[in-house]
Amino acid sequence: MSRYAYVNGRYLPFRDAKVHVEDRGYQFADGVYEVCQVRGGRLIDERRHIERLQRSLGELRIPLPMSVKALGVVLREVVAKNRVRYGLVYLQISRGVARRDHAFPSPAVTPSVVVTARALNMRRNEALAATGIAVISVPDNRWGRVDIKTIGLLPNVLARQTAIEQGGRDAWFVDKDGVVMEASSANAWIVTAQGALVTRHADHAILRGITRAVVFDAVKGQGLSIEERTFTLQEAFAAREAFITSATQLVLPVVKIDGRIVGDGKPGPVASALRREFYRYAEAG
Ligand code: PLP
């Protein structure tokens, strides 16, 4: 049986059911979803699922691009077109398609809506329930593995957006002990009052930046030393300089943190020199 999906206003055969490569759901996980059970061709607990959907959308400030009633029609239509009697209907709404940038698109774009449905094997599911299942335990690290450069960037997106709304350019993630982790899409650095370059050690809690590694080489090349350790926001407030590093921003001086001037409020000599010297240590292919 051929399958159908709803994609942004159209019911399409599965092979044609595509979203744009710059959909923010695809690039940032900047979206939400719901799954309803289908039984006897009817949606189970639709009202509750739609309420949770609206809450999720509200938390991300993504508008529902159609009425709840129209959405209900789409869900049913996809179930019917796929002739699902027992199974599931899947709904995903992302912030929409826009040039890749962590911050919300401005002006806003129309959110993307995708709905699919498929049958499940009731006999198999009942057999499973009759025997019961085994589970294993794992540490709850959702999501404690930001060392992996995944596209699960929703926290980064929200941090960047908050920074922009508060008149900043970027945000630094700080943990519960006041330790600076990294920026929303860059590594964070300070130069202490004593002149030491400090950046957080790379473990599972930050992304091991390529630019960060190049700066390590540049610093050594200039006879300076790096302290690879945690530093707190308080330390950053008292720093002589602060900066961030990333492939697209290189070494970018930070002159203000949470409204407080860093150093003399101007790009400092260490960050400026590292920016200047960067290409001596980077590899050009
Ligand atoms: N940290 C995060 C969260 C990032 O997203 C990035 C770059 O996108 C970086 C650090 C810096 O990495 P790189 O220097 O490889 O660009």
Side-chain angles (χ1 to χ4, degrees):
M1 190 195 87
S2 52
R3 293 181 63 197
Y4 290 89
Y6 173 90
V7 184
N8 294 323
R10 297 199 293 164
Y11 298 95
L12 297 169
F14 234 56
R15 65 174 180 281
D16 301 324
K18 299 184 172 90
V19 291
H20 195 274
V21 287
E22 287 205 313
D23 191 282
R24 290 177 62 91
Y26 180 67
Q27 292 197 319
F28 291 120
D30 187 7
V32 303
Y33 77 103
E34 278 295 334
V35 177
C36 273
Q37 189 195 145
V38 177
R39 196 181 164 88
R42 301 173 64 185
L43 306 194
I44 305 301
D45 285 328
E46 179 187 6
R47 181 186 59 80
R48 290 184 170 100
H49 282 285
I50 296 299
E51 272 174 21
R52 185 172 63 188
L53 173 79
Q54 289 178 300
R55 181 178 178 281
S56 301
L57 287 169
E59 291 295 307
L60 297 189
R61 291 187 279 150
I62 298 175
L64 184 62
M66 60 174 78
S67 68
V68 168
K69 201 164 163 214
L71 185 59
V73 170
V74 171
L75 295 174
R76 277 174 188 72
E77 188 62 22
V78 174
V79 168
K81 276 192 181 308
N82 289 287
R83 302 209 189 107
V84 176
R85 300 301 298 165
Y86 171 72
L88 61 87
V89 59
Y90 172 87
L91 161 67
Q92 179 173 320
I93 302 181
S94 81
R95 196 176 305 280
V97 176
R99 193 180 72 174
R100 190 179 181 281
D101 184 344
H102 285 60
F104 296 177
S106 176
V109 292
T110 308
S112 303
V113 181
V114 168
V115 180
T116 57
R118 70 179 163 92
L120 294 175
N121 185 325
M122 187 183 283
R123 202 175 315 144
R124 200 181 303 147
N125 285 354
E126 290 306 319
L128 208 54
T131 51
I133 61 159
V135 299
I136 60 152
S137 64
V138 294
D140 188 350
N141 64 350
R142 298 171 294 167
W143 178 237
R145 291 298 311 274
V146 296
D147 56 312
I148 306 169
K149 199 166 168 67
T150 76
I151 51 178
L153 290 171
L154 184 57
N156 310 55
V157 161
L158 298 178
R160 174 75 62 79
Q161 182 64 17
T162 304
I164 286 167
E165 287 172 7
Q166 294 183 12
R169 162 94 189 191
D170 204 350
W172 279 12
F173 288 111
V174 176
D175 79 359
K176 60 179 181 1
D177 301 318
V179 169
V180 175
M181 310 305 282
E182 62 180 329
S184 74
S185 62
N187 291 114
W189 298 71
I190 57 169
V191 181
T192 64
Q194 293 72 38
L197 266 147
V198 184
T199 194
R200 193 188 181 285
H201 55 281
D203 50 16
H204 287 174
I206 67 163
L207 186 75
R208 193 181 288 263
I210 302 300
T211 318
R212 176 182 180 277
V214 176
V215 167
F216 270 61
D217 288 350
V219 165
K220 282 181 205 130
Q222 291 178 20
L224 301 166
S225 65
I226 291 179
E227 291 177 16
E228 209 180 349
R229 62 164 173 86
T230 55
F231 64 92
T232 62
L233 195 54
Q234 294 305 321
E235 242 183 309
F237 290 149
R240 197 189 279 176
E241 291 183 42
F243 59 93
I244 56 173
T245 55
S246 80
T248 52
Q249 303 173 106
L250 291 186
V251 177
L252 187 63
V254 170
V255 295
K256 208 191 260 183
I257 304 171
D258 286 344
R260 302 197 199 193
I261 302 290
V262 177
D264 62 3
K266 296 198 190 80
V270 174
S272 302
L274 288 170
R275 189 178 177 89
R276 236 182 1 255
E277 296 293 309
F278 182 81
Y279 294 104
R280 280 184 55 195
Y281 299 91
E283 297 166 9

